Amino acid sequence: SDFKAILSLARIAVEEGDAFTWEDSVSNEELAEYWLPCTKLQRQTFVAEGDDGSGSGRLAGVCCLHATLGGRAGHCASLAFAVAPAARSRGLGKRLCAHAIEEAGRRGCSG
């Protein structure tokens, strides 16, 4: 499953300390609650496979689409990204973002 690889990329992003507010000691359970798909919470996770620098063609990037559940912000969504260090500066994050914005639009998000 991709779940282990998703959490690995999320952990790398957390430990770099410049994008997310979690401490390095964050549990895998807490990361899973944020990064892994959940139908009930309308959370989707998209992955990009490719060269992560190892030449193996494994998971190189992940994007998580969080829908705002109802209320005045029900038309909004938020996104989070993590790209393997060796796969950066190749436009992967931009492609993941474009895909997630398309998906959010299909779900009725406009903000």
Side-chain angles (χ1 to χ4, degrees):
S1 130
D2 287 336
F3 290 176
K4 184 177 177 181
I6 291 168
L7 295 179
S8 177
L9 282 181
R11 175 130 342 253
I12 289 168
V14 166
E15 290 174 356
E16 287 177 337
D18 60 357
F20 298 102
T21 59
W22 291 293
E23 297 294 331
D24 290 354
S25 60
V26 64
S27 69
N28 280 343
E29 291 78 20
E30 189 172 347
L31 289 177
E33 288 175 19
Y34 186 84
W35 286 97
L36 299 183
C38 177
T39 303
K40 180 180 177 184
L41 297 176
Q42 299 179 33
R43 183 174 57 233
Q44 289 179 285
T45 303
F46 310 103
V47 298
E49 294 179 349
D51 186 6
D52 65 353
S54 69
S56 67
R58 56 186 171 179
L59 195 70
V62 60
C63 172
C64 190
L65 168 63
H66 294 262
T68 303
L69 301 175
R72 291 183 181 175
H75 64 286
C76 296
S78 63
L79 304 171
F81 302 90
V83 176
R88 293 178 186 164
S89 299
R90 299 180 192 169
L92 181 60
K94 288 178 185 178
R95 290 191 302 275
L96 280 167
C97 183
H99 178 75
I101 289 171
E102 264 185 46
E103 287 296 320
R106 283 190 199 102
R107 294 168 66 175
C109 298
S110 60

